[in-house]
Amino acid sequence: GENVEQHPSTLSVQEGDSAVIKCTYSDSASNYFPWYKQELGKRPQLIIDIRSNVGEKKDQRIAVTLNKTAKHFSLHITETQPEDSAVYFCAASPSGTYKYIFGTGTRLKVLA
Amino acid sequence: NAGVTQTPKFRILKIGQSMTLQCAQDMNHNYMYWYRQDPGMGLKLIYYSVGAGITDKGEVPNGYNVSRSTTEDFPLRLELAAPSQTSVYFCASSYQQRGRNQPQHFGDGTRLSIL
């Protein structure tokens, strides 16, 4: 069935280093890929998204890349800060459907 | 705009009791969703709605019911609460037009414990 694999499940980095989280999707009809950040006890919040007609998108310290051929997309956070510590979820959504298929999440810890 | 508003924020139920989790959005979104999130886990879709009067099951619908009589409101009903329904429940909404998906907006969640 449709699924999104997300790796790693946990990631610890030193403050100032970069963090990369990778997702692989199975449904080739997926054309919209949002990333959500969820702080402890809070709601998931959108941090960046990308559509299938774009290979890369940046927003300050955050970037997302998409490889449609390999069905991979990745979140890159540069110059990490302690406030980046949270759980990050990727998702894939096929065009024109209700579906948002979520990855299992990555717990990022930024060590001061 | 308040976005997506969920009530209550916390609730403790006894086994066998029933309750309704409320969700309202003021963004005129056509799609609405209910997810549950167990501790340390991801989001599992319970029910969704693509518009007023239209609802359908997600991955884990057993033990729940929904209705969508208006665009704004999407309540989730638990009948005969069971300990396995202890979880955090998130309501979300999004807007779709001409097949172009938009991001989901989430409410603050309802923490539900069944004892």
Side-chain angles (χ1 to χ4, degrees):
Chain A
E2 303 149 333
N3 73 304
V4 173
E5 293 186 1
Q6 183 172 347
H7 298 282
S9 56
T10 60
L11 178 60
S12 292
V13 299
Q14 290 294 132
E15 183 178 359
D17 287 351
S18 296
V20 180
I21 302 170
K22 299 181 180 181
C23 290
T24 304
Y25 60 97
S26 61
D27 187 349
S28 57
S30 296
N31 68 348
Y32 176 64
F33 306 91
W35 284 89
Y36 291 87
K37 175 183 180 182
Q38 187 178 29
E39 297 176 356
L40 190 62
K42 300 289 183 64
R43 71 174 88 177
Q45 290 196 294
L46 178 77
I47 54 171
I48 196 168
D49 57 5
I50 192 168
R51 299 188 184 274
S52 59
N53 59 345
V54 175
E56 183 175 5
K57 183 176 179 180
K58 288 183 180 179
D59 183 2
Q60 299 182 339
R61 296 186 297 109
I62 294 173
V64 57
T65 58
L66 172 65
N67 181 331
K68 287 189 293 183
T69 304
K71 297 183 188 174
H72 289 168
F73 58 113
S74 299
L75 178 71
H76 304 254
I77 306 173
T78 58
E79 301 174 18
T80 53
Q81 301 168 3
E83 51 265 39
D84 294 329
S85 296
V87 177
Y88 291 81
F89 291 98
C90 62
S93 184
S95 173
T97 75
Y98 70 91
K99 294 180 182 179
Y100 291 80
I101 303 162
F102 285 87
T104 49
T106 296
R107 184 173 300 278
L108 174 65
K109 296 181 183 178
V110 180
L111 307 171
Chain B
N1 284 353
V4 179
T5 302
Q6 289 186 239
T7 56
K9 295 189 185 302
F10 305 94
R11 185 73 183 267
I12 298 174
L13 282 182
K14 294 182 180 178
I15 295 171
Q17 287 186 321
S18 300
M19 77 164 292
T20 299
L21 281 65
Q22 301 292 343
C23 176
Q25 54 91 8
D26 61 358
M27 298 174 283
N28 202 30
H29 286 174
N30 48 358
Y31 283 37
M32 295 188 75
Y33 307 79
W34 274 106
Y35 293 92
R36 61 177 286 174
Q37 185 177 37
D38 298 331
M41 304 294 284
L43 296 161
K44 293 184 179 178
L45 182 64
I46 305 171
Y47 270 94
Y48 69 97
S49 169
V50 300
I54 306 170
T55 63
D56 209 344
K57 297 177 181 179
E59 301 171 74
V60 289
N62 291 347
Y64 307 95
N65 275 300
V66 293
S67 60
R68 183 113 181 257
S69 56
T70 66
T71 299
E72 294 78 19
D73 300 299
F74 190 41
L76 177 72
R77 177 84 178 160
L78 275 74
E79 304 282 1
L80 299 175
S84 61
Q85 293 177 305
T86 294
S87 191
V88 179
Y89 291 83
F90 287 102
C91 179
S93 70
S94 68
Y95 185 71
Q96 279 213 30
Q97 186 180 41
R98 298 176 186 170
R100 185 175 173 83
N101 294 12
Q102 300 295 338
Q104 290 181 311
H105 296 254
F106 287 83
D108 286 332
T110 294
R111 295 184 177 277
L112 181 62
S113 295
I114 315 293
L115 304 176

